[in-house]
């Protein structure tokens, strides 16, 4: 070999070594810990021990919810998929939608790399339902009792030397009746491995408070804490860079700091003429914070934040950036319908997209801390948030619920919630509880003071609230006298189903700021009329914005004979609460079209109710809606009278059937409804607004033809090759004119090929258990849905749907 070639070869080797060292030193600070866990459903002995043989366990990726998977032993007439009538451990009946909890185990191995030999190793669990115990190499390192609380564990001292495998074991127990809704079971949110130097920062300790404007400038209040486990500590630098929404550095500063462990640091600085975050312009800045000593950077974190001001008063209501805004709100539970509780990123984002598309500008997270990505989506898409942590304090609502841990854990759990989430500009209020039994007694007052003090310790920029209900649970209390004690320790008063008290309470307490923290769908007009009428009533949050598993049949409407009892919940096979504006397929239900009129999202809508059976009357549960559909397909009812409700803010509406005028009516000025009795004849039903005798906006219902084909519509045709992305594919049975057939309940078959799979599919029905997460569901009201999850390679996914008598339909989704 020539001398020149030897020199070149040596140079390449040196460059390679330098590159390898750089790569090793650039080990990622926070990495996903979701892949390749081993899972066992049920109780086992010694599974926490490293030598335990888990070869027969199932390999899964997180997030994972075992309660939405088929019950391991299926029994005809007793089980259907994940639903069971057996009273086993964790069975909540109607509460949990006939699903089971129980016990589950997860195990995973990992090895610390040489470049991380001097790092601190932290496990971060975003959510594990319910009681979780964590072992590292056979040693128990943590117990967490509350399934919604995120927690971090420093496991450094329990880990083996670099190059030697470590075993993580997680025991999860979802036992007894511990929830009033579907909770899911297992490690249902993300897990992260965080590697930091002994001198480091922590996102939860870092607060970017940009909630004050002076003139055209924002005053940013910054605080953080130095963590240092190096024995010798001196002084160093804390560096802050602010990156604009356009990606440009617009501010930077450095300050000398003591590097002693636990030292809090605060600072404030102006941002010149910033863009403000709002529901219509949700712009985000990024703060990059680093700590260094003698020119060596030890840690750097990035935190998105928004510049915006919030204010509440009885005189002006809620002000966002100084402008009045009424809260068009909905309550949501944490589950993702057919996916169960698994908090896949795209599913969390999809919820917010659906809320925005249906007119909502605010969400109440009922009744627990939500996933980080849900709040990220609210920040990016412009959705205001009421953040809630507890559904009970010391008194139980279910025998095995969180009340048994409340005294010991509530401050810690609330502290974790606030510290984790306070940088989200979408959050406007912290709620300390929902329908708390102790809300107006002396013990409850002390608890409320303590919880508010915990919040204020970590965030004084937002307001506090509580959702309170009438005293049906404390008959010796009276609302007009005792509600004052329920609200005296919080800033804003949440009323559950109490719109009739708004105006009287304002007379008694003129400085009280009120909103409907929960309201019945069928009382939407009464609630919203008062919101629009009075500045001190800042908004309304319907129960609920979206359908959810559990509280089965809460939103039912039944035809009952005289003397028949109307239950609060429905039994088997109901599993869906059925009270949401939006169903499991992401489609609007009739009540949502009505809400569009109230919120001026559309000008006119109508729905049809078939005749009630002779000798019976329709009874609508508190959270229910009359049994009407946006349909003019009523085969078998020809010649019978059906009820047509036309919803509009127009003074009058006209109704035509097959171009013949049925009649003209005034709309009720309180509920924006005109009701017609119409003899059903197939064809075209048309409702038109009439203003000063001029016909304006209209809406049409058509009798459709026979099923002619299957239409597939993907919410996105290109998705990331990442299991945290999803494609939602609607399946529609249509006639020859392309109209969805609303009474087509046909079995379909779903097949998937390529770089992905169907992770969940089914329909939106409240009681069709056999179609839930089935690849052969029935369509419900002409529709079903398939949720496609990609693999981690680029390529294509082909989804094929077939039904007897119809041509197969295919759709391609590209993964990149």
């Amino acid at each position: 070999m020539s001398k020149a070639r030897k020199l070149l070869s040596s140079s390449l080797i040196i460059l390679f070594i330098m590159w390898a060292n750089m790569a090793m030193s650039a080990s990622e600070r926070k990495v996903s810990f979701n892949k390749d866990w081993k899972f066992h459903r049920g109780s086992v002995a010694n599974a926490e021990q490293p030598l335990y043989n888990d070869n027969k366990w199932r390999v899964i990726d997180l997030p994972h919810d075992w309660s939405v998977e088929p019950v391991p032993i299926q029994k005809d007439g007793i089980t259907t998929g994940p639903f069971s009538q057996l009273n086993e451990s964790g069975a909540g009946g109607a509460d949990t939608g006939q699903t089971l909890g129980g016990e589950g185990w997860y195990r995973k191995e990992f090895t610390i790399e040489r470049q991380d030999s001097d790092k601190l190793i932290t496990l971060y669990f975003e959510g594990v339902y319910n009681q979780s115990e964590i072992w590292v190499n056979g040693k128990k390192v943590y117990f967490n009792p509350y399934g919604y609380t995120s927690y971090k564990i420093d496991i450094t001292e329990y880990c083996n030397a670099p190059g030697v495998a470590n075993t993580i074991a997680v025991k999860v127990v979802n036992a007894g009746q511990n929830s009033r809704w579907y909770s899911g079971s297992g490690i249902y949110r993300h897990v992260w491995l965080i590697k930091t130097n002994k001198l480091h920062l922590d996102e939860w300790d870092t607060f970017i408070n940009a909630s004050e404007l002076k003139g055209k400038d924002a005053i940013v209040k910054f605080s953080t804490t130095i963590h240092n486990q190096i024995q010798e500590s001196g002084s160093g630098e804390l560096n802050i860079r602010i990156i604009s929404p356009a990606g440009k550095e617009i501010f930077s500063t450095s300050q000398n700091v003591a590097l002693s462990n636990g030292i809090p640091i605060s600072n404030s600085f102006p941002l010149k003429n910033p863009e403000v975050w709002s529901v219509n312009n949700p712009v985000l800045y990024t703060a990059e914070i680093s700590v260094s000593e003698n020119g060596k950077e030890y840690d750097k974190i990035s935190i998105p934040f928004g510049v915006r001001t919030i204010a509440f008063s009885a005189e002006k209501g809620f002000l966002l950036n100084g402008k009045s805004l009424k809260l068009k709100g909905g309550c949501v539970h944490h589950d993702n319908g057919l996916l169960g509780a698994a908090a896949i990123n795209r599913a969390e984002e999809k919820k917010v997209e659906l809320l925005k598309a249906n007119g909502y500008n605010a969400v109440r997270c009922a009744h627990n801390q939500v996933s980080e990505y849900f709040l990220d989506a609210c920040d990016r898409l412009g959705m205001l948030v009421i953040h809630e942590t507890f559904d009970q304090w010391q008194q139980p609502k279910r025998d095995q619920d969180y009340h048994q841990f409340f005294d010991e854990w509530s401050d810690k759990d609330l502290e974790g919630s606030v510290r984790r989430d306070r940088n989200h500009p979408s959050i406007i209020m912290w709620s300390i509880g929902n329908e708390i039994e102790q809300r107006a007694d002396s013990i409850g007052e002390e608890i409320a003071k303590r919880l508010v003090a915990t919040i204020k310790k970590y965030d004084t920029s937002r307001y506090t609230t509580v959702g309170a209900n009438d005293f049906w649970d404390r008959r010796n209390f009276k609302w007009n006298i005792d509600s004052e004690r329920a609200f005296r320790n919080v800033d804003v008063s949440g009323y559950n189903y109490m719109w009739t008290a708004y105006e009287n309470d304002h007379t008694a307490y003129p400085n009280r700021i009120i909103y409907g923290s929960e309201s019945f769908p069928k009382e939407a007009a009464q609630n919203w009329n008062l919101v629009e009428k009075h500045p001190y009533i800042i908004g309304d949050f319907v129960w609920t914005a979206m359908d959810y598993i559990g509280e089965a049949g809460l939103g039912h409407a039944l035809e009952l004979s005289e003397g028949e009892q109307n239950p609060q919940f429905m039994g088997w096979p109901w599993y869906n609460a059925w009270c949401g504006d939006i169903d499991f397929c992401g489609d609007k239900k009739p009540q949502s079209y009505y809400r569009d009129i109230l919120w001026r999202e559309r000008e006119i809508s109508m729905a049809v109710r078939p005749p009630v059976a002779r000798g019976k009357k329709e009874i609508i549960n508190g959270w229910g809606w009359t049994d009407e559909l946006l349909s003019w397909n009523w085969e078998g009812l020809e010649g019978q009278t059906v009820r047509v409700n036309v919803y509009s803010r127009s003074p009058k509406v006209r109704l035509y059937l097959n171009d013949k005028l049925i009649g003209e009516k005034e709309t009720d000025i309180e509920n924006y409804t005109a009701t017609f009795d119409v003899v059903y004849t197939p064809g075209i039903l048309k409702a038109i607004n009439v203003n000063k005798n001029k016909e304006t906006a209209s809406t049409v219902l058509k009798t459709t033809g026979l099923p002619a084909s299957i239409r597939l519509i993907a919410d996105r045709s290109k998705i990331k090759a990442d299991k945290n992305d999803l494609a939602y594919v609607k399946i529609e049975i249509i006639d020859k004119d392309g109209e969805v057939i609303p009474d087509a309940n046909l079995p379909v078959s779903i097949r998937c090929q390529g770089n992905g799979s169907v992770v969940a599919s089914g329909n939106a029905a409240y009681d069709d258990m056999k179609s839930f997460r089935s690849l052969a569901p029935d369509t419900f009201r002409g529709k079903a849905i398939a949720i496609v999850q990609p693999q981690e390679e680029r390529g294509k996914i082909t989804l094929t749907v077939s039904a007897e008598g119809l041509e197969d339909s295919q759709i391609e989704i590209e993964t990149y």
Side-chain angles (χ1 to χ4, degrees):
M1 182 182 294
S2 70
K3 185 176 181 181
R5 291 183 65 183
K6 286 181 179 179
L7 286 171
L8 177 61
S9 177
S10 298
S11 298
L12 288 172
I13 292 171
I14 291 169
L15 285 171
F16 176 79
I17 293 171
M18 289 174 63
W19 174 85
N21 287 335
M22 288 174 62
M24 288 174 66
S25 64
S27 174
E28 283 189 78
R29 183 184 193 276
K30 180 181 177 182
V31 296
S32 173
F33 211 56
N34 285 343
K35 289 183 67 66
D36 298 329
W37 286 78
K38 290 188 175 181
F39 172 70
H40 173 80
R41 183 173 181 172
S43 179
V44 291
N46 302 317
E48 73 279 8
Q49 296 303 320
L51 296 179
Y52 180 87
N53 186 352
D54 57 15
N55 289 337
K56 294 184 179 180
W57 288 19
R58 181 157 58 106
V59 178
I60 63 163
D61 292 338
L62 306 177
H64 173 244
D65 172 11
W66 81 67
S67 283
V68 82
E69 297 177 342
V71 178
I73 300 176
Q74 295 284 310
K75 298 180 180 180
D76 290 342
I78 296 176
T79 60
T80 301
F83 308 107
S84 175
Q85 298 186 70
L86 297 174
N87 186 25
E88 293 182 359
S89 175
D95 277 348
T96 60
Q98 326 297 341
T99 62
L100 300 180
E103 183 176 317
W105 282 83
Y106 299 83
R107 285 168 55 91
K108 179 180 173 71
E109 286 191 352
F110 81 101
T111 302
I112 297 173
E113 299 173 359
R114 281 183 299 165
Q115 67 265 33
D116 295 327
S117 61
D118 200 36
K119 297 283 181 70
L120 300 178
I121 308 298
T122 298
L123 282 177
Y124 172 29
F125 291 86
E126 285 194 30
V128 185
Y129 201 91
N130 188 26
Q131 297 170 35
S132 52
E133 298 176 15
I134 316 298
W135 281 269
V136 178
N137 296 324
K139 295 179 180 178
K140 185 174 178 180
V141 299
Y142 199 73
F143 166 76
N144 192 73
Y146 194 26
Y148 299 111
T149 300
S150 297
Y151 58 92
K152 297 177 180 179
I153 317 164
D154 181 349
I155 62 170
T156 309
E157 65 178 287
Y158 302 97
C159 290
N160 293 322
V164 181
N166 298 279
T167 301
I168 308 294
V170 183
K171 176 184 177 182
V172 188
V173 178
N174 180 9
Q177 297 184 358
N178 60 63
S179 178
R180 299 188 299 122
W181 55 84
Y182 178 81
S183 62
S185 299
I187 309 178
Y188 69 103
R189 291 180 181 160
H190 297 304
V191 181
W192 302 89
L193 187 70
I194 302 172
K195 298 173 286 185
T196 61
N197 289 309
K198 292 180 179 179
L199 172 59
H200 65 280
L201 303 167
D202 189 321
E203 291 91 341
W204 288 15
D205 288 327
T206 306
F207 187 19
I208 314 293
N209 178 0
S211 60
E212 180 184 354
L213 292 176
K214 282 190 176 180
K216 293 184 178 180
D217 296 344
I219 305 302
V220 179
K221 298 175 183 177
F222 167 83
S223 61
T224 193
T225 300
I226 297 290
H227 296 274
N228 190 354
Q229 295 186 20
I230 300 173
Q231 287 184 351
E232 294 182 7
S233 60
S235 63
E237 283 189 338
L238 186 78
N239 309 294
I240 304 171
R241 296 175 66 236
I242 304 298
I243 311 300
S244 74
K248 296 181 179 179
E249 180 182 309
I250 58 171
F251 177 85
S252 65
T253 185
S254 297
Q255 65 184 97
N256 291 324
V257 294
L259 297 180
S260 300
N261 187 45
I263 292 292
I265 297 168
S266 61
N267 196 354
S268 65
F269 49 85
L271 282 186
K272 300 293 184 181
N273 198 24
E275 287 188 82
V276 294
W277 185 97
S278 70
V279 295
N280 296 321
N281 187 42
V283 291
L284 294 170
Y285 291 78
T286 301
E288 290 186 353
I289 306 105
S290 63
V291 61
S292 59
E293 183 184 26
N294 297 326
K296 178 181 179 181
E297 184 177 277
Y298 279 83
D299 199 11
K300 182 169 71 173
I301 58 175
S302 296
I303 295 179
F305 70 97
V307 176
R308 58 101 183 96
T309 68
I310 57 174
F312 296 81
S313 70
E315 294 76 24
K316 296 183 179 181
F318 170 63
L319 303 179
L320 180 63
N321 302 318
K323 297 179 180 179
S324 176
L325 182 67
K326 295 293 188 178
L327 302 179
K328 298 176 179 177
C331 301
V332 295
H333 273 314
H334 70 292
D335 74 275
N336 287 309
L338 296 170
L339 293 168
I344 298 169
N345 287 358
R346 175 57 186 161
E348 300 292 280
E349 180 181 63
K350 182 75 171 179
K351 280 193 290 195
V352 184
E353 287 182 354
L354 288 170
L355 291 169
K356 288 285 287 189
N358 285 280
Y360 292 91
N361 63 20
V363 61
R364 176 177 178 234
C365 301
H367 306 286
N368 46 263
Q369 186 179 30
V370 290
S371 76
E372 283 202 56
Y373 205 82
F374 180 84
L375 293 174
D376 290 343
C378 290
D379 291 342
R380 287 185 290 100
L381 299 175
M383 180 67 61
L384 300 170
V385 175
I386 298 176
H387 187 297
E388 196 160 72
T389 305
F390 304 118
D391 187 46
Q392 61 280 115
W393 291 349
Q394 292 174 334
Q395 299 299 315
K397 293 182 179 178
R398 296 295 182 265
D399 288 345
Q400 287 82 34
D401 67 21
Y402 181 72
H403 82 279
Q404 59 191 324
F405 303 103
F406 181 82
D407 285 343
E408 180 182 355
W409 284 84
S410 56
D411 276 338
K412 183 186 297 185
D413 288 333
L414 183 57
E415 172 189 322
S417 288
V418 176
R419 290 174 61 225
R420 193 197 79 171
D421 294 336
R422 58 187 167 170
N423 287 301
H424 291 281
S426 54
I427 297 174
I428 57 174
M429 285 188 272
W430 302 109
S431 173
I432 60 173
N434 170 71
E435 296 187 355
I436 301 299
E437 187 176 344
Q438 297 164 290
R439 59 197 176 281
D441 61 26
S442 58
I443 295 176
E445 184 169 1
E446 292 305 310
I447 293 173
K449 288 179 180 177
R450 171 170 61 81
L451 296 177
V452 168
T454 298
I455 292 169
K456 297 298 184 183
K457 180 179 178 182
Y458 297 100
D459 181 17
T460 58
S461 71
R462 293 178 178 85
Y463 291 66
T464 56
T465 188
V466 68
N469 56 301
D470 198 6
F471 290 103
W472 52 263
D473 53 345
R474 292 283 181 101
R475 297 295 184 184
N476 55 317
F477 286 78
K478 301 296 181 185
W479 180 268
N480 61 341
I481 298 171
D482 299 303
S483 66
E484 191 275 334
R485 286 198 297 277
F487 295 133
R488 66 170 56 157
N489 293 295
V490 295
D491 303 310
V492 184
S493 303
Y495 284 52
N496 285 13
Y497 314 106
M498 292 293 294
W499 65 268
T500 56
Y502 290 171
E503 293 178 318
N504 288 338
D505 283 8
H506 176 68
T507 300
Y509 307 100
N511 293 323
R512 183 177 291 179
I513 306 158
I514 296 171
Y515 69 101
S517 40
E518 290 182 25
S519 64
F520 294 127
K522 64 182 182 180
E523 293 179 350
Q526 294 95 321
N527 280 276
W528 195 250
N529 289 344
L530 288 168
V531 171
E532 291 194 333
K533 182 179 179 181
H534 299 297
Y536 61 86
I537 306 172
I538 63 173
D540 176 57
F541 290 74
V542 66
W543 192 272
T544 56
M546 310 183 81
D547 277 340
Y548 58 94
I549 308 172
E551 293 193 300
L554 180 67
H556 66 261
L558 302 176
E559 294 183 13
L560 300 176
S561 301
E562 189 69 32
E564 282 189 276
Q565 185 176 1
N566 180 38
Q568 182 175 5
F569 301 113
M570 300 294 290
W572 185 276
W574 285 64
Y575 64 89
N576 179 339
W578 196 240
C579 53
D581 278 13
I582 305 165
D583 68 23
F584 278 180
C585 290
D587 291 317
K588 297 168 72 70
K589 290 159 66 179
Q591 67 202 56
S592 181
Y593 287 91
Y594 178 67
R595 195 174 309 283
D596 284 348
I597 303 302
L598 301 183
W599 289 350
R600 295 176 174 83
E601 295 290 327
R602 68 178 68 230
E603 296 184 67
I604 187 170
S605 65
M606 68 173 161
V608 181
R609 200 219 185 277
V612 177
R614 183 172 297 179
K616 297 190 175 185
K617 61 180 180 179
E618 183 181 48
I619 304 297
I620 304 170
N621 206 33
W623 297 264
W625 189 259
T626 183
D627 192 16
E628 63 185 11
L629 295 174
L630 275 70
S631 170
W632 199 237
N633 280 28
W634 300 101
E635 185 178 358
L637 296 182
E638 293 82 356
Q640 296 187 45
T641 299
V642 297
R643 186 193 71 201
V644 178
N645 278 338
V646 181
Y647 302 122
S648 173
R649 285 181 175 268
S650 175
K652 294 181 181 180
V653 295
R654 289 175 185 157
L655 190 66
Y656 294 86
L657 178 56
N658 296 327
D659 294 326
K660 180 180 179 181
L661 180 65
I662 297 295
E664 177 180 294
K665 288 192 175 185
E666 294 183 354
T667 53
D668 188 294
I669 61 173
E670 293 295 324
N671 65 14
Y672 315 107
T673 304
T675 301
F676 297 83
D677 291 328
V678 181
V679 176
Y680 176 65
T681 303
I684 299 176
L685 187 69
K686 185 176 185 178
I688 304 179
N689 282 342
V690 179
N691 194 350
K692 297 179 180 179
N693 210 35
K694 290 185 178 180
E695 294 186 347
T696 56
S698 64
T699 187
V700 169
L701 297 175
K702 296 180 181 179
T703 306
T704 63
L706 296 173
S709 60
I710 303 167
R711 181 165 60 202
L712 304 181
I713 304 172
D715 64 341
R716 293 173 305 148
S717 59
K718 293 183 178 180
I719 61 177
K720 294 178 181 178
D722 183 332
K723 287 193 172 183
N724 269 305
D725 208 352
L726 301 167
Y728 287 74
V729 181
K730 286 188 178 180
I731 302 166
E732 299 178 339
I733 305 300
I734 58 175
D735 66 8
K736 61 181 179 61
D737 297 320
E739 299 288 336
V740 175
I741 303 171
D743 56 349
N745 299 325
L746 304 179
V748 297
S749 177
I750 303 168
R751 304 187 303 280
C752 188
Q753 294 176 307
N755 294 340
S757 61
V758 175
V759 68
S761 56
N763 61 36
Y766 43 82
D767 63 350
D768 186 2
M769 288 181 169
K770 72 177 183 62
S771 292
F772 184 83
R773 294 173 66 88
S774 168
L775 290 175
D778 292 343
T779 58
F780 174 70
R781 297 177 179 173
K783 298 180 181 181
I785 196 166
I787 305 173
V788 177
Q789 185 178 51
Q791 299 297 330
E792 296 176 331
E793 303 90 24
R794 294 182 180 184
K796 289 185 179 180
I797 304 169
T798 302
L799 191 77
T800 305
V801 179
S802 58
E804 187 176 352
L806 301 176
E807 288 189 9
D808 289 2
S809 183
Q810 279 192 350
I811 192 169
E812 280 194 348
I813 299 160
E814 182 182 341
T815 62
Y816 66 92

